Amino acid sequence: MTMSDDVALISADDGEESRSARIGIGDYVHAILRDHITLVAMIFLLILLIFTLGAEFLAPYEPVGLNLRDRLLPPGTIGRNGDFYLFGTDELGRDLFTRLIYGARVSVSVGVLGALLSSLVGVSAGLMAGYHGGWFEDIVMRLVDGMLSLPSLLIALFVLFILGGGFGNLVLVFLVLHWMVFARMARGLALNARNATYVQAARAQGCKSGRIIFRHILPNVMAPILVLFTLEIAVLILSEASLSFLGFGVQPPDASWGLMIADGRAHIRSAWWLVLFPGLAIFLTALSLNLIAGWARAVTDPVQRWRWLAKRPKAGAKT
């Protein structure tokens, strides 16, 4: 190899380092704008978040307001009192659009809060198990293996049958049944990171293990954890819908998407909109979360991210 080849390799390495140093928030924003499917998914979730947070101001009617004179009206119908029902009404004359908005608050809140608590417990246990090893790792991983071998839906039904349904009990059940997923991933990431150069440097400076785990290792392994967190929100939304459909989740008169489907199945032939709209809301929310998780996985992967973050040359620009 000649000296010119060495210079070329050094300049190429410098170019890679300078490219990685130039990655900022603007690059990710441009990547989102170029990926139209991910952009649509993010816009949908943003609209859903706005309606969820501002349900009291954006919902046209009361979610539990009964009007038996306008029961089972199809979408786009004007009621006897002049009320317009965008998505129709249910068997008790309640506006379905309003119920969807308030149902989104319950379903999304259960998914986000359940995934958040599960990630806090699971990531903490997994990182400490992977970093320390020994008997603590054996206990955590055997507990993870045992929990993962159990049928989660049956366990959830059994626990909710004893404790009763409701928002708080659902979050508690999801915490118990889903922390292991985060623990297993975090343990593997900690195993790869505990002998890294920056961890050895922190040990040499006398940092305690807790500071090394949560101040040095955790920020460097956050990307795959955030991807898993996004996927778990979708999983928990589907789980809440399943449990509420079976009668073990959110209880009437509160609204949730799964409970709305359960209430509408008796009228599925004559009032199809009672099942279609909440089912479509669940489908679009879960699909959007999965699309965003896939995009986040790609842009945080050092091998794939240049395909997403590289700026495309302008039309007519010289190469």
Side-chain angles (χ1 to χ4, degrees):
M1 183 179 294
T2 62
M3 184 178 296
S4 60
D5 294 333
D6 293 336
V7 173
L9 288 176
I10 293 173
S11 61
D13 293 339
D14 293 341
E16 290 293 328
E17 293 178 359
S18 61
R19 276 200 307 174
S20 61
R22 288 197 298 266
I23 294 178
I25 297 178
D27 297 307
Y28 291 101
V29 173
H30 284 94
I32 294 173
L33 295 177
R34 288 197 300 267
D35 187 354
H36 296 161
I37 296 179
T38 304
L39 179 61
V40 171
M42 287 191 173
I43 292 175
F44 172 79
L45 291 180
L46 179 61
I47 295 174
L48 180 65
L49 180 62
I50 293 173
F51 275 100
T52 301
L53 296 177
E56 291 87 356
F57 307 100
L58 299 176
Y61 306 105
E62 289 293 327
V64 294
L66 305 182
N67 187 3
L68 297 179
R69 299 177 61 188
D70 291 339
R71 61 188 304 269
L72 297 178
L73 294 181
T77 303
I78 299 177
R80 296 186 179 183
N81 296 330
D83 298 329
F84 176 72
Y85 301 111
L86 180 63
F87 288 169
T89 60
D90 61 7
E91 70 278 5
L92 297 177
R94 298 172 296 191
D95 179 49
L96 196 64
F97 179 63
T98 300
R99 300 278 293 174
L100 275 175
I101 295 176
Y102 279 88
R105 168 174 290 184
V106 174
S107 299
V108 174
S109 298
V110 168
V112 173
L113 188 57
L116 181 61
L117 294 178
S118 300
S119 63
L120 289 176
V121 175
V123 170
S124 299
L127 288 179
M128 290 188 291
Y131 180 79
H132 292 294
W135 61 269
F136 183 76
E137 181 184 16
D138 292 337
I139 292 176
V140 171
M141 295 314 298
R142 297 298 76 77
L143 186 59
V144 168
D145 293 338
M147 293 294 295
L148 289 175
S149 65
L150 298 175
S152 58
L153 181 59
L154 291 179
I155 298 299
L157 291 175
F158 177 75
V159 174
L160 290 173
F161 176 77
I162 296 175
L163 299 179
F167 184 90
N169 291 338
L170 275 175
V171 174
L172 178 61
V173 167
F174 290 155
L175 167 62
V176 173
L177 296 179
H178 287 268
W179 69 271
M180 313 86 62
V181 181
F182 292 95
R184 187 170 59 175
M185 170 177 276
R187 179 249 184 184
L189 295 172
L191 284 175
N192 293 330
R194 67 181 179 182
N195 293 322
T197 304
Y198 65 89
V199 175
Q200 295 178 358
R203 289 200 201 101
Q205 293 179 357
C207 294
K208 295 182 179 180
S209 60
R211 181 179 179 86
I212 294 175
I213 292 173
F214 296 105
R215 293 292 300 274
H216 296 279
I217 295 180
L218 180 58
N220 286 280
V221 300
M222 185 60 73
I225 293 175
L226 289 177
V227 174
L228 179 60
F229 176 79
T230 305
L231 292 173
E232 279 297 303
I233 294 176
V235 170
L236 294 184
I237 290 175
L238 292 173
S239 300
E240 183 277 327
S242 300
L243 292 171
S244 296
F245 179 82
L246 296 173
F248 292 92
V250 177
Q251 301 298 312
D254 294 333
S256 79
W257 291 338
L259 185 60
M260 292 174 66
I261 294 177
D263 293 339
R265 62 179 173 174
H267 307 278
I268 191 171
R269 293 187 177 182
S270 58
W272 50 266
W273 56 90
L274 298 182
V275 176
L276 175 64
F277 290 118
L280 194 60
I282 296 173
F283 168 73
L284 292 177
T285 303
L287 178 62
S288 299
L289 288 169
N290 278 270
L291 289 173
I292 292 174
W295 178 86
R297 172 67 181 86
V299 298
T300 55
D301 187 350
V303 178
Q304 302 183 43
R305 65 181 178 182
W306 295 116
R307 182 169 62 90
W308 295 85
L309 300 179
K311 296 181 179 179
R312 297 179 181 177
K314 297 180 179 180
K318 296 182 179 180
T319 56

